[in-house]
Amino acid sequence: MKRPAAPGYSAFMSSKPYAARRAQLAERLRAAGSGVALLPTAPERPRNADSDHPYRHDSHFHHLTDFDEPQAWLVLRSDGHSTLFCRPADPEHAVWHGHRLGTEAAPEVLGVDAALPIGSLNEAMPALLAGQGAVWFPFGRHPELPGQIEGWLATLRTQERRGIECPTQCRDLHPLIAEMRLVKDAGELATMRRAASISAAAHRRAMRYCAQRFRQGASAVHEYEIEAELLHEFRRHGAQSTAYPSIVAAGANACVLHHPAGPARLLPDELCLVDAGCELDGYASDITRTFPANGCFSGPQRTLYELVLAAQQAAIDATRPGLRQRDAHHAAVRVLAQGLLDLGLLSRETHGGVDDVIASAAYRAFYMHGTGHWLGRDVHDVGEYLSQGEAPIEQPDGLGGTVVKRPSRVLCPGMVVTLEPGLYVRPAPGVPERYWNIGIRVEDDAIVTDSGCELISRGVPVEPDEIEAWMRD
Ligand code: GLY
Ligand code: MN
Ligand code: MN
């Protein structure tokens, strides 16, 4: 469908996937009886004085509407009827803030059945809820929503004596939409490939920038300068935002998992860990590379780097349809645990063999996070990690004990995961000093395919020789 040439609307996108998703959601609502789904988009968030944070839509809402203006709601009935509440078009407002789609254009542009002004929400909502068995909304995500719904239901109850039926149940909409978002369609995957390739270009730029600065005689490079290179590359390729605050960690700062880019000085003989990804058209990318600031790995840096890379390869090999999402973590942990023993970071006398290191979770002194997560509209995307169709079983809890819970979910084509093992070595007795203060993570984004997985973020070098060659040029 042709869209008006207005900011925020892609001329190439059809409203079809969005209408099809609404139809699919309506079908899921119908499967549970009659009902109506209420879905507000994200609020605008004040920053200070009269400035707001840059606006970002709600991911669920956008998945079903392709609408990125604030102050909007989708109301979807189980019979498939959709109503969008949005801000009316306003020529006065357009002078200051730009174009709004408005209620007149919304049905044709977005394919919704009706559009009403957001100001009429309280007045119109009781009638939209009337006669429905259940009200579905995302629990725990919009703090004011339960109170608003209660108010509309109270209004409806006053009309019950006139034969108007009031919904009797409130149900959580989040899992329904989360499941729909977990497996991506071809259009979503194309956007995610593009987001990953922009982020890969940004990492390449950051590596080269760093090496050049040291070649030009700099004694140090600030983390924020490297962050600026990343942001420049994201924006110049049209990415609207970062997908999450960029991590740029100089030397020992890499041992802080979520260290934000700050004023710290990266020295030439240190490693730099960069965990940064752009958001493009509502989809995240999430890449980590760790590179030597001056373009040359030292012996101990390379040794640990190669171990993390081998762990990632094991995780990649364990990412294919039919295997479970958590298998990648188990595979990576086994490689890391063996390597920690081989390199003397864990002693065999104290910790035993590789199975003991895994069972006791001794490896967690150096590797304390999971190996991956779903990736999509959100960097830590929605979707259950545990298999809902299988009974709970006893399994390792990853902390040295056991826990009874459902098995991890089986992967299928179209899911997108990150694969991100790491090692973080803080100074400690018994840990060889040559490894102190080294933090390494390698993270790539993978689409599960029919037979394995497609790494969509490998536009940036990952092998140590390739990184050194790239930084030399
Ligand atoms: N960048 C956040 C993460 O890797 O999970
Ligand atoms: Mn990640
Ligand atoms: Mn990351």
Side-chain angles (χ1 to χ4, degrees), residues 270-290:
E270 290 181 321
L271 290 178
C272 180
L273 185 156
V274 175
D275 182 347
C278 70
E279 179 177 297
L280 178 72
D281 297 340
Y283 287 84
S285 53
D286 184 6
I287 302 180
T288 308
R289 288 293 183 267
T290 309

Side-chain angles (χ1 to χ4, degrees), residues 21 63 105 140 164 169-170 185 251 270 392 395:
R21 288 174 195 153
H63 194 67
I164 293 176
Q169 291 179 49
C170 284
D185 66 27
E270 290 181 321
Q395 50 189 300

Side-chain angles (χ1 to χ4, degrees), residues 311-349:
Q312 197 207 31
Q313 187 57 51
I316 293 166
D317 295 342
T319 300
R320 59 172 190 269
L323 297 187
R324 296 180 188 276
Q325 188 268 342
R326 194 77 177 160
D327 288 344
H329 180 65
H330 296 314
V333 161
R334 181 158 288 276
V335 172
L336 292 174
Q338 184 65 58
L340 290 169
L341 288 168
D342 294 345
L343 297 177
L345 283 96
L346 292 174
S347 83
R348 288 195 166 78
E349 293 69 41

Side-chain angles (χ1 to χ4, degrees), residues 87-169:
R87 303 175 306 183
D90 179 348
E92 186 84 6
H93 177 276
V95 172
W96 290 89
H97 303 290
H99 176 84
R100 289 173 173 175
L101 181 61
T103 48
E104 276 182 33
E108 195 200 331
V109 173
L110 302 177
V112 291
D113 296 310
L116 295 171
I118 187 68
S120 70
L121 190 70
N122 283 326
E123 189 189 331
M125 197 63 89
L128 289 167
L129 302 184
Q132 303 296 320
V135 183
W136 295 78
F137 64 94
F139 287 3
R141 279 155 196 265
H142 304 270
E144 284 159 19
L145 192 48
Q148 282 174 290
I149 292 172
E150 192 43 53
W152 297 324
L153 294 179
T155 303
L156 261 190
R157 282 189 205 104
T158 65
Q159 299 169 8
E160 274 180 322
R161 64 181 179 278
R162 286 192 273 146
I164 293 176
E165 282 177 43
C166 182
T168 53
Q169 291 179 49

